[in-house]
Amino acid sequence: MNIFRFAGDMTHLISILVLLLKIYATKSCSGISLKTQELYALVFLTRYLDLFTDFISVYNTVMKLVFIASSLAIVWCMRMHGLVKRSYDKELDTFRHYLLVAGCFALAVLVNEKFTFQEIFWAFSIYLEAVAILPQLVLLQRSGNVDNLTGQYIFFLGAYRALYLLNWIYRYFTEVRFSRWIACVSGIVQTGLYADFFYYYFLSWKNNAKLQLPA
Amino acid sequence: DANDVAKDEL
């Protein structure tokens, strides 16, 4: 474990806590894409198949359980919880995310570290996470200005993978045979997708204005 | 080889 990866995990945890806070405090999920939340739940469920077979550390197991439980709780909340469900922007959240699932699975079958069930699903989860934010960014663009908590949620979610990029650079130089190029290339794409959001987020912070993505 | 190492990252 290095500081970059720990900071990345904490940033990821913060993004989830901010989203839970927004939904709980405002009893609303307006501006949040259910499709992105469903994709993230799928990412965690397919990435942590080794939850019960490979014990890495208490930290690793606990964090995996937190990520799986929170992502499922958010999807459940947005689908089932009466009050929250009514605030969902159903007509704006129309990204065909099943295409992302199909494309990432096809890619995972072709490009993986080893042609085994677990490795294919791991590669699938890595590719899917890279594009999982797309429905959320599209919804953001359509819904004009967003509330602060939603903006912060997306900011921390994007920042965590940027920290992971630093972690992979650090591990590449400090560990003899560290190579996780699938995660690394995917992480670069994932962080790149946030580029314009980061730009407008920075502008809104600098001008102390509401976050607005150009339509 | 390196790939056999369990995935230690989240």
Side-chain angles (χ1 to χ4, degrees):
Chain A
M1 173 65 82
N2 59 65
I3 183 63
F4 302 111
R5 183 145 69 93
F6 184 68
D9 290 342
M10 289 306 108
T11 305
H12 193 182
L13 187 62
I14 289 169
S15 79
I16 291 172
L17 295 177
V18 165
L19 179 54
L20 286 169
L21 173 69
K22 173 214 162 44
I23 292 178
Y24 179 76
T26 65
K27 287 289 179 286
S28 153
C29 65
S30 68
I32 300 297
S33 163
L34 171 60
K35 303 195 172 199
T36 286
Q37 299 311 315
E38 289 170 344
L39 290 178
Y40 256 100
L42 191 57
V43 164
F44 294 134
L45 288 171
T46 52
R47 183 171 305 174
Y48 302 148
L49 293 173
D50 64 347
L51 182 60
F52 301 112
T53 55
D54 296 337
F55 178 77
I56 306 283
S57 69
V58 172
Y59 169 82
N60 187 271
T61 302
V62 167
M63 290 297 276
K64 285 176 177 176
L65 290 170
V66 167
F67 287 165
I68 290 174
S70 58
S71 60
L72 290 176
I74 288 165
V75 169
W76 178 85
C77 215
M78 292 182 71
R79 279 182 168 278
M80 306 296 177
H81 189 292
L83 208 54
V84 173
K85 189 168 77 170
R86 266 201 297 280
S87 60
Y88 169 46
D89 304 315
K90 191 175 179 60
E91 66 291 336
L92 287 178
D93 193 16
T94 59
F95 197 100
R96 288 195 293 272
H97 62 324
Y98 54 85
L99 293 178
L100 296 176
V101 174
C104 290
F105 191 77
L107 184 59
V109 170
L110 296 172
V111 181
N112 49 63
E113 284 182 1
K114 199 185 293 179
F115 198 78
T116 63
F117 180 82
Q118 196 152 314
E119 282 296 333
I120 288 175
F121 273 98
W122 179 80
F124 166 69
S125 80
I126 292 289
Y127 302 141
L128 190 62
E129 185 186 3
V131 294
I133 197 63
L134 285 174
Q136 179 61 61
L137 292 178
V138 167
L139 176 60
L140 204 60
Q141 215 135 20
R142 289 180 181 164
S143 56
N145 65 333
V146 292
D147 62 77
N148 292 339
L149 284 173
T150 304
Q152 282 153 7
Y153 160 66
I154 298 173
F155 172 76
F156 285 118
L157 192 56
Y160 115 81
R161 212 62 179 170
L163 288 166
Y164 254 73
L165 291 178
L166 298 181
N167 152 64
W168 288 318
I169 293 167
Y170 176 85
R171 292 189 77 173
Y172 178 78
F173 286 112
T174 55
E175 294 177 24
V176 177
R177 289 180 314 167
F178 179 79
S179 84
R180 188 127 330 141
W181 61 276
I182 285 183
C184 207
V185 170
S186 211
I188 292 168
V189 169
Q190 179 170 337
T191 308
L193 288 178
Y194 285 81
D196 70 333
F197 171 81
F198 282 146
Y199 171 68
Y200 291 108
Y201 191 79
F202 170 70
L203 282 186
S204 78
W205 170 77
K206 195 160 69 75
N207 309 328
N208 201 12
K210 276 293 270 179
L211 173 64
Q212 287 245 337
L213 289 191
Chain B
D1 63 341
N3 295 337
D4 290 343
V5 171
K7 302 261 184 284
D8 63 347
E9 294 179 344
L10 290 175

